[in-house]
Amino acid sequence: MSPMPALLATVALFGLAAGPASASDPVAASAPQTRAPASAETRAAYDRMDALSRSVFWAAELEIAPSDAVAGVKLAQALRDLGRYDQAAQTAETLLALQPANLDALLELGRAHIGRGQAFYGIAPLEKARDLAPRDWRPYSLLGVAYEQVRRFDDARAAWNQALVLSPDNPDVLTNAATAALTHGDAPGAEALLRRAAAQPTASSKVRQTLAMTLGLQGKMGEAEQILRRELPPELADQNLAWLAARNTPATPQPAVASAPSPSDTARTWSSLKGG
């Protein structure tokens, strides 16, 4: 598919094609409808809205200017936030057909493939982004996630280590590495990384929530509850604490040495962080 039709197809997903011209105005009916892109203030306002509103807005901006790189990247991001990973990847690929060296589009394509569970296809664009911006920590952090998903574990650790060289104690990188450690059954290692991440001034609430869940999986329920009560509404905190309590209350006799969390347990943990 050529770049232009693909972008217009993305716009069509949201029913945003321009309305028909008035039948009483033959000149208007035959002339293309033109609109100006939104102002910087309007764009900034939509960036603070929910993912669905952002997806509709940025699709409309792409209808006005299909080569608008900012709109293309923002639409891919909004679609990814909605869980529409295939559409996010298609949007990023279309933009890259027009601008092959667009760093943000390469990163979004990698994120979309990781999100849809097909990280193998995200490695090439992320490695290209790394080569284009070797001092940027983001490609390395995402490559670590992609390598981990395709079981290139040594490469994943090397990528995260390089990301931390470029951005020491970056909470996003530390959280990615911690998630991998927990998946491999290393809850104490994950806890150490997450404590480092949570101590950073730029750490997000999700970093602290992830730390709380990691503590809870190890039976440290008191500290886990304190964090969750600060970071989540009461009903979501209750849901997470109930799940942790069930996880720590075996239904059958357990061996003397408790087993580490399995990958399926870990997946449920990350899901519960989102209120799932």
Side-chain angles (χ1 to χ4, degrees), residues 163-268:
L164 289 171
V165 168
L166 296 171
S167 182
D169 285 329
N170 184 294
D172 292 335
V173 181
L174 290 168
T175 301
N176 284 339
T179 303
L182 190 59
T183 301
H184 290 294
D186 183 10
E191 178 187 339
L193 290 167
L194 288 165
R195 286 191 185 278
R196 282 176 61 191
Q200 304 310 309
T202 57
S204 67
S205 176
K206 188 167 183 179
V207 171
R208 295 185 288 273
Q209 292 172 42
T210 307
L211 171 60
M213 297 301 289
T214 303
L215 291 168
L217 284 171
Q218 298 176 83
K220 301 176 182 180
M221 292 295 292
E223 188 177 0
E225 180 170 5
Q226 288 179 1
I227 297 172
L228 289 174
R229 293 291 183 201
R230 289 195 299 265
E231 301 297 329
L232 291 173
E235 62 276 10
L236 291 183
D238 288 343
Q239 290 176 19
N240 283 281
L241 290 167
W243 182 83
L244 286 170
R247 174 67 179 79
N248 288 310
T249 306
T252 57
Q254 297 294 304
V257 178
S259 60
S262 70
S264 61
D265 292 331
T266 306
R268 177 62 183 86

Side-chain angles (χ1 to χ4, degrees), residues 59-150:
E61 291 293 279
L62 270 182
E63 182 186 10
I64 297 168
S67 61
D68 185 337
V70 172
V73 169
K74 295 286 190 179
L75 176 58
Q77 184 181 62
L79 291 168
R80 179 170 54 83
D81 289 344
L82 288 169
R84 299 176 181 175
Y85 301 115
D86 291 343
Q87 294 173 19
Q90 182 185 23
T91 301
E93 286 172 345
T94 300
L95 177 56
L96 287 167
L98 298 171
Q99 301 179 25
N102 187 300
L103 179 65
D104 289 330
L106 289 166
L107 295 176
E108 272 307 313
L109 181 56
R111 292 184 184 105
H113 285 308
I114 290 170
R116 71 190 190 96
Q118 296 292 330
F120 176 82
Y121 300 102
I123 290 174
L126 290 173
E127 289 179 341
K128 183 175 181 178
R130 174 201 62 195
D131 296 341
L132 287 170
R135 305 301 301 171
D136 191 328
W137 64 270
R138 296 174 300 167
Y140 290 99
S141 182
L142 288 168
L143 274 170
V145 179
Y147 290 146
E148 179 74 18
Q149 195 178 107
V150 300

